Amino acid sequence: MTVLDAYTVIAYLRGGEAASGEVRELLRAPTILSAVNAAEVADQLVRIDDNDPDGVEIRLATLEVGGMTIAPATHSQAVAAGSLRALLQPTHVRGEPSRLFRCRHRA
């Protein structure tokens, strides 16, 4: 079984990205996507690509029917994923560079 990352699924669902063909091949066999990564897929497709949330839900459900399993995440896994996202989010906060920028430039 292949474990998929959120951006692998995003590339496939966007379709125009170079990796989408490779991902299509992976999806022919059983695959798994964590619920945290499924949330990232939904976030990117709705917030960044301006897709309808219901349409994104249908697209993910279609992948499930095709054999992809969305694995549940525990409370602690969800908090850890959200905390990591907050740490690595490449945005400015109150006019300051992101934490990731500061971490990279302190070394």
Side-chain angles (χ1 to χ4, degrees), residues 14-56:
R14 284 181 174 156
E17 299 191 23
S20 64
E22 294 175 44
V23 178
R24 184 179 306 108
E25 291 302 315
L26 289 174
L27 290 169
R28 293 176 192 252
T31 55
I32 190 166
L33 178 72
S34 76
V36 171
N37 281 329
E40 179 70 13
V41 170
D43 172 62
Q44 290 290 308
L45 294 178
V46 172
R47 185 174 53 87
I48 303 299
D49 297 350
D50 201 30
N51 285 279
D52 175 65
D54 292 336
V56 172

Side-chain angles (χ1 to χ4, degrees), residues 42 45-46 52-64 70:
L45 294 178
V46 172
D52 175 65
D54 292 336
V56 172
E57 184 177 1
I58 290 168
R59 293 169 80 187
L60 285 171
T62 301
L63 292 177
E64 285 185 279
I70 296 181

Side-chain angles (χ1 to χ4, degrees), residues 7 40 43-44 47-48 82-104:
Y7 287 91
E40 179 70 13
D43 172 62
Q44 290 290 308
R47 185 174 53 87
I48 303 299
S83 297
L84 183 61
R85 166 103 189 226
L87 177 68
L88 300 178
Q89 183 68 31
T91 60
H92 297 296
V93 178
R94 297 185 192 129
E96 295 182 16
S98 69
R99 292 183 195 147
L100 178 60
F101 178 84
R102 290 194 306 266
C103 291
R104 285 184 179 167

